[in-house]
Amino acid sequence: MILKEFSKYLQNNKEENSVILLNNWLIERLNSPSLNKVDIILKTELYYAKNNSGKTLIIAKSETGRNLMNALYNFSLSFEQYKLAKFLHDKKSSDFKHD
């Protein structure tokens, strides 16, 4: 259910880096009112800290939260690999030759 919601977010923002999108998505969800079970779970398992320069850190509250973060991070990396594979599938070897 959480991966499905994150997947929709990734598909709507294909041009950006998936790991950065993960951070943005989590911050948006943690800052907004809980609208569904995904928001409730995220707020139960995760919180974020922000330093003076505006950088954020997502922190797991428990082992379950760490597993959730790990799954989301691995999913975002696999989406990056998928985008690269799709890009390379349409290319020919001659597209990469240097003179």
Side-chain angles (χ1 to χ4, degrees), residues 18-55:
S18 299
V19 176
I20 294 171
L21 287 173
L22 172 60
N23 187 61
N24 295 344
W25 182 73
L26 287 172
I27 291 170
E28 285 176 20
R29 299 305 281 253
L30 292 171
N31 277 331
S32 65
S34 298
L35 301 175
N36 55 32
K37 290 181 182 180
V38 171
D39 293 335
I40 293 168
I41 293 169
L42 290 175
K43 288 179 181 183
T44 301
E45 297 297 335
L46 307 172
Y47 63 90
Y48 80 99
K50 191 173 189 178
N51 66 11
N52 292 336
S53 62
K55 306 243 180 185

Side-chain angles (χ1 to χ4, degrees), residues 62-86:
S62 66
E63 184 64 31
T64 308
R66 284 187 284 282
N67 291 337
L68 174 61
M69 278 301 302
N70 193 29
L72 289 168
Y73 179 72
N74 287 335
F75 186 79
S76 64
L77 290 178
S78 69
F79 191 74
E80 280 299 308
Q81 291 172 348
Y82 165 77
K83 291 190 309 187
L84 179 61
K86 190 172 180 182

